[in-house]
Amino acid sequence: MVTKSSPAAAGLTERELSDQPRAWARTIACVAEQVEQLRPLLAGQAVFTGCGSSYFLAIAAARVHQQVTGRPATAIPASELFLAADSALPSGQRGPLVAFSRSGDTTETLRAAAYYRDRGLGPVIGVTANAESPLARDTSAAIVLPWADDRSIVMTRGFTSMLLASWLASAHLAGDQAFLTELGRLPGEAVTVLDQARPLASGLGRNLGLGRFIYLGLAEQYGLAREAMLKMKEMTQVASEAYSPLEFRHGPISVVDDSTLVVLFSTERGADYYRALLSDVRRCGGQTLAVGLPVAPDVANFTLPLGGELSDRGRGLLAMLFMQLLALERALALGRNPEQPQNLTRVVELTQ
Ligand code: F1P
């Protein structure tokens, strides 16, 4: 593995995190300009791929693509695509591969793209923040978002902007005006959320009585929950886990104690089940937080209602701002430098 380190600068993560409304607005304009060129390439059954944060966003991208366009879509970690294609790829796969990589340089993602291209399975569409990268240059088409590149190792605006780009492309492809209108509102909503979410993120992030963070998210929000878990791990090295909400009772609930915070991506779908789920967590001594769809005050210890008029998907993207802030606040409370996460490099390049 070769290390490419990123320059550390005080407050870089904070600045990039706070820049998301601007990055999202540019992303919306960029995808609107490129969508006609992408439309023919996106036809057919789609596979979404990436590594780390970019794989987690692939999960959220694939779920929404299938839901919005009605076309089958699946997410596969890049390494599995070339190491275990026989069990990972849908049999008889024909259609686009959408490969996400902030750097556009991650070896596994490039190998997955090459594997797919060499077998003639369909066009490869890169989504990246790096215009000079192989993923931008050597693919059938690319959505390039240079304003979303993070200089920080830990991805913040890169994650949400690449995901937004994918959701926009799916909405354009399906002609889903309601979803496009909703996505268009998100930069404005994000300004408000960044402001309103800070006190809660700071209060919980700096509460060192909490030592384990568990994130629960349904459908596309499962990808978001895994990214929230990864932010906490990368920035703080504090124990964190992620599950599909009702999976949590099937074993993982055994770790809950009074140092556990269970963070639910609160959604319309599943809402009927969440009161009982969070009540079970509280009975085991854990603290609970619902972010997204407003819940009654007695459902969770803490709530952060988001975007009253939005759908689960819009609220989910806004919820990521809080999740990033929570991890950042915990890192600062522990005296860790979020710009220099332990054992991590900005790009994982394989030498074998
Ligand atoms: C993907 C990634 C990041 C992770 C780490 C290593 O990078 O796995 O998610 O935080 O920095 O790289 P990329 O392919 O999106 O550039």
Side-chain angles (χ1 to χ4, degrees):
M1 195 175 88
V2 175
T3 298
K4 273 192 185 174
S5 60
S6 139
L12 185 58
T13 306
E14 162 75 47
R15 285 203 299 282
E16 291 174 344
L17 196 166
S18 303
D19 182 53
Q20 287 175 97
R22 194 188 65 93
W24 294 2
R26 293 191 71 173
T27 299
I28 290 166
C30 162
V31 175
E33 276 169 26
Q34 292 194 25
V35 75
E36 285 316 315
Q37 174 205 343
L38 293 171
R39 193 182 293 280
L41 300 176
L42 280 168
Q45 172 165 304
V47 173
F48 293 76
T49 196
C51 296
S53 293
S54 291
Y55 168 56
F56 297 152
L57 88 84
I59 295 172
R63 289 297 194 103
V64 167
H65 186 75
Q66 176 166 312
Q67 194 186 33
V68 169
T69 66
R71 300 174 189 183
T74 188
I76 302 173
S79 55
E80 298 245 348
L81 206 151
F82 62 87
L83 291 176
D86 51 358
S87 61
L89 276 177
S91 54
Q93 170 63 22
R94 286 285 177 278
L97 175 73
V98 182
F100 299 101
S101 172
R102 174 183 64 175
S103 64
D105 280 329
T106 296
T107 308
E108 285 144 81
T109 306
L110 296 178
R111 282 196 190 154
Y115 181 97
Y116 202 87
R117 186 177 47 239
D118 292 350
R119 281 155 189 79
L121 301 179
V124 177
I125 300 162
V127 183
T128 179
N130 181 2
E132 308 306 319
S133 65
L135 198 69
R137 282 193 319 260
D138 307 337
T139 41
S140 316
I143 301 179
V144 182
L145 314 169
W147 50 86
D149 204 3
D150 309 290
R151 283 174 57 231
S152 208
I153 292 177
V154 173
M155 223 192 275
T156 53
R157 66 182 172 190
F159 177 89
T160 56
S161 301
M162 288 194 287
L163 180 56
L164 177 60
S166 179
W167 285 1
L168 285 160
S170 302
H172 279 290
L173 193 65
D176 188 335
Q177 285 307 325
F179 190 27
L180 283 171
T181 304
E182 175 178 0
L183 294 175
R185 284 181 49 196
L186 292 183
E189 297 275 353
V191 175
T192 312
V193 171
L194 280 169
D195 205 36
Q196 289 177 349
R198 260 170 219 275
L200 185 61
S202 174
L204 292 172
R206 289 171 186 270
N207 176 358
L208 298 183
L210 296 171
R212 181 185 284 118
F213 293 81
I214 292 170
Y215 300 91
L216 306 180
L218 184 73
E220 74 283 345
Q221 321 262 330
Y222 176 60
L224 304 181
R226 291 190 66 182
E227 171 64 3
M229 165 196 74
L230 189 67
K231 287 308 83 153
M232 188 55 80
K233 274 203 175 96
E234 289 182 330
M235 286 201 222
T236 74
Q237 293 81 56
V238 168
S240 56
E241 303 171 25
Y243 301 95
S244 179
L246 300 194
E247 277 295 297
F248 188 59
R249 283 201 190 90
H250 296 273
I253 198 167
S254 62
V255 305
V256 170
D257 60 18
D258 62 6
S259 74
T260 305
L261 178 69
V262 172
V263 183
L264 172 73
F265 283 80
S266 173
T267 49
E268 285 165 33
R269 284 169 300 166
D272 293 346
Y273 292 84
Y274 294 153
R275 173 183 284 275
L277 176 63
L278 296 187
S279 156
D280 286 349
V281 171
R282 291 166 80 174
R283 210 174 11 258
C284 298
Q287 304 272 308
T288 56
L289 162 65
V291 180
L293 183 75
V295 295
D298 62 324
V299 170
N301 299 95
F302 308 96
T303 58
L304 181 65
L306 296 173
E309 306 289 300
L310 300 175
S311 73
D312 285 348
R313 297 177 296 223
R315 279 191 290 265
L317 204 62
L318 293 174
M320 285 314 301
L321 303 173
F322 169 80
M323 306 300 166
Q324 295 166 349
L325 281 171
L326 180 64
L328 180 62
E329 289 290 344
R330 169 53 61 107
L332 298 174
L334 292 174
R336 306 247 157 99
N337 181 350
E339 272 90 60
Q340 293 181 331
Q342 180 178 298
N343 305 338
L344 273 189
T345 55
R346 191 171 188 279
V347 183
V348 175
E349 287 184 294
L350 305 183
T351 46
Q352 77 269 36

